[in-house]
C-alpha cells in the first residue's frame, strides 16, 4: 500500500504536464445536421478532436459529427456498466437470477467478503468494494500503465476474481463507485448463462436492439482508434477481458441512438428504475437518475477511458435522448445535459 501511495504521488507530480486542456481542437470536417452543428459551435467548449452527437426524438434521430460521422467507433467506458445493468434486468425478468442473490452463488468467491454481496448491491455500487483492486502488484501495474498512456485494465477473468476475493467490503451499504463491482457482476451473469461476457452482450442486447456496430474487443484488432489524453497525448486502446463489463465496450452514436430509442419505448425498464440513493442522485441497475427543471428527470450514464469520454441521457417525460462521444479524455457531461434540455 505504501508503494502504491508513493507511485501515485510521483504520477501526480510528473504527469501534471500532461493535463493541459486546450491542446486539441475539434476537427474541421463536419457531417450531419446543420442545426446540431450550430449547437456544437455555440456550446461545446472542448478541447476536442473527433466528436459524434445524436439527438433522439419521436420525429426521428439527428446526428452531427466532427472528424467522423455517426458510424465512427469510440470507446464508451463506463456506459458498458449501463449495458451490464440491462443484462441484469433481463436475467431477473426471465427468472435466471434474483436481485437479492449473492454473487458467491454464481462465482467461486468462497471465503471472501464479497461473496455475500447481492447482485443488487453490485449494480447500485453499494457492495463495499473499492473502485479498483488494492492488491499492491496489480495496483502498481495499473498505475504504471496509466502513466505510460497504456491500458490499466489488462486483467483476465481469473485475475479479476482473485482481486475480488482479496478486496474488503467494509463500506457495504454506502455509495462507493466500483469498476471492480461492475466487472464482477457482468462476469457472474456470463458464468450463469454458460458463456462469455462479449457473447452474452451480443446475444441479449446488441442483436435484439440492432446494434451492429458495437462490440466488446478481446484484442487490439477490434479496438477503437487511439484516443487522446486531455493534454493531447495519444492513448493506447483499453482492451479489457475481466473488466469488460465495467468499461470494455466500443460503440457508435448510431448504435447508442438505437439503444436510446429502445429505452424510450419502454423496454428494459427494470434496469432504469431507481432503487437506491447514490450521492445526490438515485441509481437503478447502474443507470443514474438526476432531477431536471419542471419536475422532470434525466436517466443517464457517462463513461471515460484514457482517451475517450461518452454520455447517454434520456428525458423520459419529453421522449428525448442524447448521445455524445468524444475521443479526448475531457468530460462531455455538461454539454450533453445542455443538449438534452435544449428546446
Amino acid at each position: 500500500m505504501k508503494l502504491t501511495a508513493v507511485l501515485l504521488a510521483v504520477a501526480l507530480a510528473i504527469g501534471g504536464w500532461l493535463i493541459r486542456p486546450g491542446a486539441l481542437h475539434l476537427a474541421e470536417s463536419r457531417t450531419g445536421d446543420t442545426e446540431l452543428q450550430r449547437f456544437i459551435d455555440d456550446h461545446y467548449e472542448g478541447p476536442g478532436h473527433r466528436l459524434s452527437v445524436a439527438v433522439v426524438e419521436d420525429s426521428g434521430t439527428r446526428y452531427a459529427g466532427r472528424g467522423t460521422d455517426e458510424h465512427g467507433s469510440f470507446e464508451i467506458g463506463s456506459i458498458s456498466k449501463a449495458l451490464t445493468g440491462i443484462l441484469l434486468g433481463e436475467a431477473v425478468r426471465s427468472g435466471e437470477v434474483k436481485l437479492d442473490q449473492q454473487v458467491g452463488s454464481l462465482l467461486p468467491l468462497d471465503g471472501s467478503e464479497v461473496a455475500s454481496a447481492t447482485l443488487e448491491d453490485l449494480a447500485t455500487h453499494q457492495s463495499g468494494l473499492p473502485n479498483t483492486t488494492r492488491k499492491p502488484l496489480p495496483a502498481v501495474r495499473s498505475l504504471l500503465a496509466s502513466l505510460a498512456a497504456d491500458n490499466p485494465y489488462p486483467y483476465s477473468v481469473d485475475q479479476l476474481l482473485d482481486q475480488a476475493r482479496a478486496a474488503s467490503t467494509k463500506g457495504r451499504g454506502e455509495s462507493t463507485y466500483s469498476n471492480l463491482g461492475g466487472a464482477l457482476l457482468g462476469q457472474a451473469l456470463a458464468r450463469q448463462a454458460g458463456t462469455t461476457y462479449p457473447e452474452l452482450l451480443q446475444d441479449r442486447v446488441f442483436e435484439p436492439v440492432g446494434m451492429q456496430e458495437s462490440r466488446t474487443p478481446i484484442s487490439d484488432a477490434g479496438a477503437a482508434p487511439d484516443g487522446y489524453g486531455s493534454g493531447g497525448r495519444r492513448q493506447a486502446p483499453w482492451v479489457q477481458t475481466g473488466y469488460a463489463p465495467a468499461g470494455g465496450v466500443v460503440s457508435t452514436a448510431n448504435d447508442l441512438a438505437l439503444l436510446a430509442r429502445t429505452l424510450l419505448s419502454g423496454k428494459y425498464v427494470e434496469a432504469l428504475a431507481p432503487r437506491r440513493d447514490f450521492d445526490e442522485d438515485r441509481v437503478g441497475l447502474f443507470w443514474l437518475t438526476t432531477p431536471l427543471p419542471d419536475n422532470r428527470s434525466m436517466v443517464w450514464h457517462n463513461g471515460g477511458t484514457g482517451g475517450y469520454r461518452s454520455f447517454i441521457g434520456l428525458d423520459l417525460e419529453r421522449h428525448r435522448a442524447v448521445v455524445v462521444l468524444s475521443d479526448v479524455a475531457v468530460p462531455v457531461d455538461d454539454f450533453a445535459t445542455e443538449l438534452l434540455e435544449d428546446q
Side-chain angles (χ1 to χ4, degrees):
M1 293 295 293
K2 290 182 179 179
L3 178 58
T4 303
V6 169
L7 285 172
L8 179 59
V10 171
L12 292 173
I14 299 177
W17 66 274
L18 296 174
I19 308 173
R20 294 181 305 200
L24 289 170
H25 302 282
L26 283 177
E28 292 293 333
S29 62
R30 299 174 178 232
T31 61
D33 185 79
T34 302
E35 183 179 345
L36 269 182
Q37 289 290 357
R38 282 198 296 267
F39 191 93
I40 294 171
D41 288 337
D42 294 340
H43 297 273
Y44 188 80
E45 296 181 355
H49 181 241
R50 285 194 306 133
L51 187 72
S52 191
V53 175
V55 175
V56 180
E57 297 169 308
D58 286 337
S59 58
T61 301
R62 294 178 292 137
Y63 301 98
R66 296 290 181 88
T68 187
D69 60 15
E70 64 268 27
H71 305 292
S73 291
F74 292 76
E75 294 177 352
I76 63 171
S78 287
I79 292 179
S80 306
K81 294 186 187 71
L83 297 173
T84 299
I86 290 174
L87 289 175
L88 175 57
E90 287 297 281
V92 170
R93 187 181 60 81
S94 67
E96 194 171 342
V97 299
K98 297 180 179 180
L99 284 178
D100 62 358
Q101 187 170 349
Q102 294 184 352
V103 68
S105 68
L106 302 176
L107 292 171
L109 298 167
D110 295 343
S112 66
E113 292 184 24
V114 73
S116 61
T118 68
L119 303 187
E120 184 172 351
D121 288 337
L122 293 168
T124 56
H125 295 295
Q126 296 188 16
S127 68
L129 286 172
N131 185 29
T132 58
T133 183
R134 292 177 180 169
K135 292 189 70 176
L137 288 179
V140 169
R141 178 184 181 184
S142 293
L143 179 59
L144 293 176
S146 294
L147 284 174
D150 206 346
N151 175 18
Y153 295 104
Y155 307 108
S156 68
V157 175
D158 286 341
Q159 288 172 316
L160 170 75
L161 295 178
D162 184 58
Q163 293 171 15
R165 293 186 197 102
S168 169
T169 62
K170 64 181 180 180
R172 187 172 301 176
E174 301 174 0
S175 297
T176 303
Y177 192 90
S178 178
N179 286 316
L180 180 57
L184 194 67
L185 175 57
Q187 299 301 347
L189 296 174
R191 182 73 63 96
Q192 176 69 4
T195 187
T196 65
Y197 179 80
E199 291 169 342
L200 184 68
L201 191 59
Q202 178 68 32
D203 292 344
R204 298 192 180 182
V205 178
F206 293 163
E207 287 189 6
V209 176
M211 299 170 68
Q212 299 180 9
E213 298 166 347
S214 299
R215 56 196 182 276
T216 311
I218 57 175
S219 71
D220 286 352
D226 291 351
Y228 297 89
S230 58
R233 188 185 190 193
R234 191 179 291 273
Q235 303 285 313
W238 282 20
V239 176
Q240 303 174 42
T241 304
Y243 275 85
V249 175
V250 170
S251 191
T252 67
N254 178 74
D255 271 12
L256 290 178
L258 290 173
L259 176 65
R261 186 168 296 281
T262 300
L263 294 169
L264 290 174
S265 75
K267 191 172 176 61
Y268 302 138
V269 293
E270 296 87 356
L272 303 187
R275 298 174 181 276
R276 299 184 183 180
D277 291 334
F278 185 80
D279 297 331
E280 298 179 357
D281 300 318
R282 296 275 289 165
V283 62
L285 304 182
F286 292 119
W287 289 85
L288 294 159
T289 298
T290 298
L292 291 176
D294 302 323
N295 295 315
R296 295 178 292 110
S297 59
M298 175 175 66
V299 180
W300 63 280
H301 212 290
N302 60 5
T305 65
Y308 285 87
R309 289 295 183 269
S310 58
F311 191 96
I312 180 171
L314 303 99
D315 184 334
L316 300 179
E317 288 82 1
R318 293 174 63 199
H319 241 237
R320 178 181 172 95
V322 300
V323 174
V324 179
L325 304 175
S326 169
D327 70 346
V328 178
V330 174
V332 296
D333 301 34
D334 290 346
F335 168 77
T337 302
E338 271 192 275
L339 181 59
L340 183 67
E341 295 188 72
D342 182 55
Q343 298 298 324

